[in-house]
């Protein structure tokens, strides 16, 4: 039995623009904890206590210790079938767009070359003084502890949007436009508690897109969705792929 009814299937197959919106749930399938909420403590600190400009100003060494620990977890994790199907879909069609809340780098490692990382990337750093941005591994900065700019020797910070900080406006504007123009928005693994990704999905739906949600639990977005699939993306997305592209192999 197919997951998608024929009308939705045909719409997806013919859609000029499809947007995937992904959250922490797709990464948790790869073994990455959310670092927030129950069980999210690290050395008696909550993420909300460490991922702020104030915490970094007060104790940059502590904040870097936390991010080094998180980065090691992300390095060991592997993209799951959910990540891989999205990347495969993007390679097949330039009309498939990816916007993620996740900072773990699993989407690029799965093969997604075009994506918007709304909250940044844990493998990138930026200077607190000049405009320089570096990749920790490629630029030889992947070591424990404080890290310093290769251009001006100032302290580097994770290239992450922290609590209380504004989003990158150019990325946000591009995200709004993609959602407004989409015919299908597929929301995966987001709790819908973060306002901007939730509003992006609702913007797509208000502009005529059908919404598909893949999440083991219902969220604030569920009532707005045309379809809600109660399950993991690594299980549901491969099935959707088979239905949308029945003549394609999974290899």
């Amino acid at each position: 039995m197919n997951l998608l009814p024929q009308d939705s299937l045909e719409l997806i197959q013919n859609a000029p623009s499809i947007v995937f919106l992904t959250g922490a749930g797709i990464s948790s399938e790869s073994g990455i904890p959310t670092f927030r909420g129950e069980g999210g403590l690290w050395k008696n600190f909550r993420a909300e206590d460490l991922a702020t400009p104030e915490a970094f100003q007060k104790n940059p060494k502590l904040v870097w210790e936390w991010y080094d620990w998180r980065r090691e977890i992300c390095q060991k994790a592997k993209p799951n079938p959910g990540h891989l199907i999205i990347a495969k879909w993007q390679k097949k069609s330039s009309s498939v767009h990816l916007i993620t809340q996740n900072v773990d780098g699993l989407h690029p490692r799965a093969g997604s070359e075009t994506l918007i990382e709304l909250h940044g990337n844990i493998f990138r750093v930026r200077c607190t003084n000049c405009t320089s941005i570096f990749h920790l591994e490629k630029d030889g900065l992947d070591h424990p502890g404080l890290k310093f700019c290769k251009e001006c020797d100032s302290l580097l910070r994770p290239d992450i949007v922290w609590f209380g900080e504004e989003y990158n406006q150019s990325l946000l504007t591009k995200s709004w436009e993609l959602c407004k123009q989409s015919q299908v928005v597929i929301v995966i693994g987001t709790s819908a508690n973060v306002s901007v990704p939730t509003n992006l999905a609702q913007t797509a739906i208000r502009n005529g897109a059908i919404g598909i949600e893949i999440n083991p639990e219902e969220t604030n977005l569920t009532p707005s969705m045309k379809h809600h699939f109660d399950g993991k993306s690594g299980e549901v997305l491969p099935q959707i792929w088979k239905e949308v592209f029945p003549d394609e192999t999974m290899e």
Side-chain angles (χ1 to χ4, degrees):
M1 181 178 177
N2 282 359
L3 292 176
L4 294 166
Q6 191 61 30
D7 60 337
S8 295
L9 189 58
E10 291 178 359
L11 195 154
I12 294 171
Q13 289 170 331
N14 298 309
S17 180
I18 297 172
V19 170
F20 282 92
L21 277 168
T22 65
I26 192 170
S27 294
S28 68
E29 294 177 38
S30 292
I32 295 180
T34 62
F35 306 110
R36 295 180 63 183
E38 187 176 351
L41 292 179
W42 174 80
K43 295 187 178 180
N44 296 320
F45 293 95
R46 300 179 306 153
E48 291 85 347
D49 297 328
L50 295 169
T52 69
E54 294 77 16
F56 190 72
Q57 184 176 10
K58 180 180 178 181
N59 195 339
K61 185 177 179 181
L62 176 68
V63 173
W64 263 121
E65 186 180 352
W66 183 54
Y67 273 97
D68 288 338
W69 172 74
R70 286 185 59 184
R71 193 172 70 254
E72 185 178 356
I73 292 173
C74 294
Q75 283 173 325
K76 292 178 180 177
K78 295 181 179 180
N80 63 62
H83 295 104
L84 296 172
I85 286 294
I86 294 173
K88 186 179 179 69
W89 210 325
Q90 285 191 289
K91 283 184 169 61
K92 185 175 180 64
S93 173
S94 60
S95 65
V96 178
H97 310 283
L98 171 59
I99 303 169
T100 186
Q101 297 170 242
N102 302 332
V103 301
D104 49 54
L106 286 177
H107 280 302
R109 284 171 56 192
S112 288
E113 297 177 357
T114 305
L115 74 159
I116 295 175
E117 294 172 309
L118 280 177
H119 293 166
N121 187 305
I122 202 167
F123 295 98
R124 286 198 312 264
V125 291
R126 68 176 189 260
C127 184
T128 56
N129 180 50
C130 68
T131 58
S132 298
I133 295 176
F134 302 97
H135 189 283
L136 286 170
E137 294 174 324
K138 293 177 183 176
D139 292 310
L141 293 164
D142 192 21
H143 55 76
L146 299 178
K147 300 154 194 15
F148 297 91
C149 182
K150 290 189 170 185
E151 299 297 329
C152 70
D153 206 35
S154 298
L155 186 62
L156 293 169
R157 56 160 282 179
D159 189 18
I160 302 288
V161 178
W162 282 335
F163 294 106
E165 291 186 324
E166 293 185 356
Y167 285 84
N168 180 304
Q169 290 305 304
S170 63
L171 295 182
L172 197 55
T173 298
K174 186 176 181 181
S175 298
W176 288 123
E177 290 304 315
L178 287 173
C179 288
K180 286 178 184 177
Q181 296 166 10
S182 67
Q183 289 73 48
V184 181
V185 59
I186 303 176
V187 183
I188 301 172
T190 178
S191 64
N193 291 328
V194 180
S195 59
V196 168
T198 300
N199 290 338
L200 286 172
Q202 291 173 335
T203 294
I205 293 168
R206 282 197 299 269
N207 281 271
I210 67 164
I212 298 173
E213 183 178 47
I214 302 174
N215 201 312
E217 299 178 359
E218 293 190 353
T219 72
N220 294 331
L221 279 173
T222 304
S224 304
M225 294 287 148
K226 185 175 180 65
H227 305 291
H228 171 88
F229 297 114
D230 179 6
K232 298 179 178 180
S233 68
E235 299 169 353
V236 177
L237 267 185
Q239 179 61 33
I240 290 177
W241 170 271
K242 289 178 183 177
E243 294 176 17
V244 175
F245 305 107
D247 298 326
E248 291 278 339
T249 65
M250 293 297 293
E251 298 300 325

